[in-house]
Amino acid sequence: MKIIDKIKEKQKDLHSVRQPVIAFLGDSVTQGCFDIYVKDGKLETIVQPYYGYHEKVKRILNILYPEVPINIVNAGISGDCADGGLRRLERDVLSYNPDLVVVCYALNDVGKGKDGLDLYINSLREIFTKINESGAELIFLTPNLRTEKCDTPTGEPIIDKIWEEVAESERNGWLRIYLDSARELCKEMSVTVCDCNRLWQTFKENDVEINRLLSNKVNHPTKELYWLFAYELVKTMFLN
């Protein structure tokens, strides 16, 4: 991808070439959220962006090109959906004139089931179009799997209710349906896909206990699994 060429150009001329900018647009997983808890009757999330995959991408690139500063824009917001990302795309992403934008949506969108699929795809289409028109490169990143079972209820009604709803949605295949539609859109629009979800699916098919890979036992990967996304993203940058 051109982002690697730009990093190489910066390495050759640190004084005259602009610092590469990589932006990440998405939900809580993009933001860097982990465990969840209840405070004053409301669901809260532990946010630790330093452990997010955007920071790990930067650390990998810094190992490969130690002299090149990489600017990272983290535009992930917990609870966000693709239509929300579209509304704030200009303000939170394109205003930084990024060289590459990584988009990751589906985990919250799927909660709308059948009624939300068209909104999801139409929003992604507009996001992709606007990013392409800006001149930035684009990667669509597919997310992790979610829990399919509530194996150890917390006893906290708010959390257990969310846990049960997500598990039922996952068992009914809504994440698969949404991502299959997103993959078709990416094929139609020639958008590069970093398909980490297929890797998670392979784990599941080989008897990996998915709940053990989720920090909140619902939909947030553990800190260790964020490395998977980072390595796959960097590999995508080099091989496309």
Side-chain angles (χ1 to χ4, degrees), residues 115-177:
D115 294 337
L117 183 56
D118 286 345
L119 177 62
Y120 172 69
I121 293 301
N122 290 336
S123 297
L124 284 184
R125 185 186 299 276
E126 285 297 309
I127 290 172
F128 295 167
T129 298
K130 290 179 181 297
I131 292 173
N132 286 333
E133 289 175 346
S134 77
E137 289 188 289
L138 168 63
I139 295 175
F140 178 67
L141 173 65
T142 61
N144 50 277
L145 294 178
R146 304 174 298 163
T147 185
E148 282 191 344
K149 58 182 180 178
C150 308
D151 50 7
T152 310
T154 66
E156 179 60 64
I158 296 177
I159 294 178
D160 289 345
K161 183 175 184 293
I162 292 174
W163 199 352
E164 292 171 0
E165 290 175 350
V166 170
E168 181 179 6
S169 173
E170 191 73 2
R171 290 193 299 269
N172 289 335
W174 281 113
L175 183 58
R176 175 183 55 77
I177 292 169

Side-chain angles (χ1 to χ4, degrees), residues 53-212:
Y53 54 69
H54 54 281
E55 286 296 327
K56 288 176 167 58
V57 165
K58 181 177 181 178
R59 288 162 69 182
I60 294 171
L61 291 174
N62 285 160
I63 291 171
L64 300 176
Y65 301 97
E67 297 178 350
V68 179
I70 308 292
N71 286 345
I72 297 294
V73 177
N74 179 6
I77 294 181
S78 181
D80 200 26
C81 294
D83 58 312
L86 175 59
R87 286 193 295 272
R88 60 192 181 86
L89 177 64
E90 179 61 41
R91 182 196 68 196
D92 291 354
V93 175
L94 298 183
S95 63
Y96 292 91
N97 191 23
D99 298 292
L100 169 66
V101 182
V102 177
V103 177
C104 184
Y105 280 111
L107 293 179
N108 295 319
D109 302 82
V110 300
K112 301 171 185 176
K114 181 180 179 181
D115 294 337
L117 183 56
D118 286 345
L119 177 62
Y120 172 69
I121 293 301
N122 290 336
S123 297
L124 284 184
R125 185 186 299 276
E126 285 297 309
I127 290 172
F128 295 167
T129 298
K130 290 179 181 297
I131 292 173
N132 286 333
E133 289 175 346
S134 77
E137 289 188 289
L138 168 63
I139 295 175
F140 178 67
L141 173 65
T142 61
N144 50 277
L145 294 178
R146 304 174 298 163
T147 185
E148 282 191 344
K149 58 182 180 178
C150 308
D151 50 7
T152 310
T154 66
E156 179 60 64
I158 296 177
I159 294 178
D160 289 345
K161 183 175 184 293
I162 292 174
W163 199 352
E164 292 171 0
E165 290 175 350
V166 170
E168 181 179 6
S169 173
E170 191 73 2
R171 290 193 299 269
N172 289 335
W174 281 113
L175 183 58
R176 175 183 55 77
I177 292 169
Y178 271 63
L179 290 181
D180 282 347
S181 296
R183 292 183 185 102
E184 285 298 316
L185 175 64
C186 289
K187 183 178 180 180
E188 172 193 330
M189 298 185 69
S190 299
V191 172
T192 299
V193 179
C194 179
D195 206 345
C196 287
N197 184 268
R198 290 201 188 279
L199 188 52
W200 279 70
Q201 187 64 43
T202 300
F203 293 160
K204 177 184 173 183
E205 291 168 357
N206 285 275
D207 298 330
V208 172
E209 179 55 61
I210 295 301
N211 277 15
R212 294 178 181 175

Side-chain angles (χ1 to χ4, degrees), residues 1 139 192-195 231-240:
M1 298 186 73
I139 295 175
T192 299
V193 179
C194 179
D195 206 345
Y231 280 120
E232 291 297 315
L233 280 168
V234 172
K235 183 170 74 174
T236 300
M237 294 176 200
F238 274 94
L239 297 183
N240 288 270

